Amino acid sequence: MLSLYRAGTSPLHRMPAGPKLVLLVALVLAVSLLPTAPWAAGAAVALCIIAYLFGGGMPALLLLARQTWALKWVIAFMLIGQLIFLGPQPAVLNTVRVTAAVLLAALLALTTRVTALLDALERGLAPLRVVRVDPARVALMLTVTLSTLPVMGRIAHDVREAQRARGARPGVRTFAVPYLVMALKHADELGDALAARGVR
């Protein structure tokens, strides 16, 4: 599994994985449930900035900018799709809230080692054994999901950098095909890695 963890000494880095997971999931849910309004989009952006400051101080704002830039094509897809059906204002406001939620989820992967996250999820889900749910499998699925969000942003960045190196003009059509190919390749490699570890 690809780890996005970045070593650090911020309060978020020092926080135990369990409480940090609960905190960031609560923040993501809060951002997701905000109404489609300008003040809500502003609140989502402010919350995201505060969370990144809490996760690394002022240098973390540069990391936040890089993470947002890495998601630019994903953001473009979301925005264009909603522009067609919802109109400009709801499309922009919804995209801002979803982007903030993705960046908050990415912050968990950036400040938590995968092993610590898996252990915390398994402990938290242990009561589900009484209803015959395997906490290890559920924890692995959630960890893979959380880790995959920023990976998609990194793939988008890599595709654009490769196009720029070849002098290709930016465009949705020229970006979509290699992006989908690399995303599917990552999914295939992830599936092979999980199968090699006995996960079916």
Side-chain angles (χ1 to χ4, degrees), residues 71-83 95 99 172:
L71 289 172
K72 60 183 178 298
W73 290 108
V74 179
I75 295 171
F77 277 122
M78 285 192 295
L79 185 60
I80 292 171
Q82 294 183 78
L83 278 173
T95 301
T99 303
V172 174

Side-chain angles (χ1 to χ4, degrees), residues 138-162:
V138 177
L140 184 60
M141 181 189 68
L142 292 174
T143 305
V144 168
T145 302
L146 289 170
S147 301
T148 298
L149 293 174
V151 169
M152 292 299 101
R154 179 180 293 179
I155 289 175
H157 176 264
D158 291 345
V159 169
R160 185 60 202 125
E161 287 298 313

Side-chain angles (χ1 to χ4, degrees), residues 27-178:
L27 292 178
V28 170
L29 283 176
V31 168
S32 302
L33 295 175
L34 285 172
T36 304
W39 70 264
V45 172
L47 189 60
C48 202
I49 291 173
I50 292 170
Y52 270 76
L53 284 173
F54 198 59
M58 292 303 291
L61 293 182
L62 181 59
L63 176 61
L64 174 60
R66 287 176 179 167
Q67 292 289 102
T68 307
W69 181 249
L71 289 172
K72 60 183 178 298
W73 290 108
V74 179
I75 295 171
F77 277 122
M78 285 192 295
L79 185 60
I80 292 171
Q82 294 183 78
L83 278 173
I84 297 172
F85 298 102
L86 301 178
Q89 183 168 330
V92 171
L93 297 178
N94 283 335
T95 301
V96 169
R97 289 191 302 117
V98 173
T99 303
V102 171
L103 291 170
L104 286 170
L107 187 57
L108 179 65
L110 289 167
T111 59
T112 312
R113 296 183 189 279
V114 172
T115 52
L117 188 57
L118 273 172
D119 291 343
L121 284 168
E122 282 192 44
R123 286 196 302 273
L125 297 172
L128 294 179
R129 289 185 191 280
V130 297
V131 291
R132 297 185 178 182
V133 174
D134 185 352
R137 287 178 182 271
V138 177
L140 184 60
M141 181 189 68
L142 292 174
T143 305
V144 168
T145 302
L146 289 170
S147 301
T148 298
L149 293 174
V151 169
M152 292 299 101
R154 179 180 293 179
I155 289 175
H157 176 264
D158 291 345
V159 169
R160 185 60 202 125
E161 287 298 313
Q163 288 180 323
R164 185 177 292 116
R166 292 195 299 271
R169 292 184 177 179
V172 174
R173 190 173 55 182
T174 56
F175 169 82
V177 173

